[in-house]
Amino acid sequence: MKFVSIIMGSKSDFTVMEECAKTLEKFGVLHEIIVSSAHRSPARTHEYVKNAEAKGAKVFIAAAGMAAHLAGVVASLTTKPVIGVPMKGGVMEGMDALLSTVQMPGGMPVGTVAIGSAGAVNSAYLAMEILALADEELAAKLKEDRILKAKKVETDSMGIEVIL
């Protein structure tokens, strides 16, 4: 069974990462969500990644804030694609998480998306685009979604077209 694994460093990340899950559900993509911290529960994180990969995880999405080492730890444990979602918070409002997630050493890639909710949604879309390379039905759904988004144009009160 192929699925997308969503790992959060803290249960407080759920309200943001729920948007990722909802996006995957909208397209009928199987997923599972767990909380496992790279720092507070490293053994659990290691065990989970190995088991998820054996069960059929094709893409991992890792959401974490502040030091945000979760995506890098996951990437060190698998050769499956890993997408990092930096969480907003802390003194730097998520910039520290963004930099920790995006600045991986050569040979240890982590695809990194925007901080917070937009990143959560984009992580789902990126995961689906990866899956769609081997799934024509999903590829067609994504193309249709893109066409529908492009049609969402209105004219504002000054006669200027606005893309919604």
Side-chain angles (χ1 to χ4, degrees), residues 41-58:
S41 54
R44 173 182 159 88
T45 301
H46 286 237
E47 186 70 20
Y48 172 75
V49 171
K50 296 295 181 195
N51 289 337
E53 193 170 39
K55 288 188 324 187
K58 299 297 180 196

Side-chain angles (χ1 to χ4, degrees), residues 23-143:
T23 303
L24 293 169
E25 288 166 10
K26 178 176 135 183
F27 287 86
V29 174
L30 296 175
H31 62 282
E32 65 182 27
I33 303 174
I34 71 153
V35 175
S36 191
S37 169
H39 300 108
R40 293 183 296 274
S41 54
R44 173 182 159 88
T45 301
H46 286 237
E47 186 70 20
Y48 172 75
V49 171
K50 296 295 181 195
N51 289 337
E53 193 170 39
K55 288 188 324 187
K58 299 297 180 196
V59 180
F60 289 87
I61 297 173
M66 297 179 7
H69 292 112
L70 184 58
V73 168
V74 172
S76 76
L77 300 170
T78 183
T79 56
K80 302 290 186 203
V82 177
I83 303 165
V85 182
M87 293 285 103
K88 189 174 183 178
V91 178
M92 297 181 71
E93 290 299 310
M95 285 301 295
D96 49 349
L98 173 65
L99 294 172
S100 295
T101 305
V102 78
Q103 290 291 10
M104 294 297 298
M108 195 61 56
V110 169
T112 307
V113 293
I115 297 168
S117 294
V121 171
N122 281 343
S123 71
Y125 274 97
L126 183 54
M128 290 187 294
E129 288 175 352
I130 292 166
L131 294 174
L133 292 170
D135 183 336
E136 288 298 320
E137 183 180 335
L138 181 56
K141 288 179 184 178
L142 288 168
K143 285 178 187 173

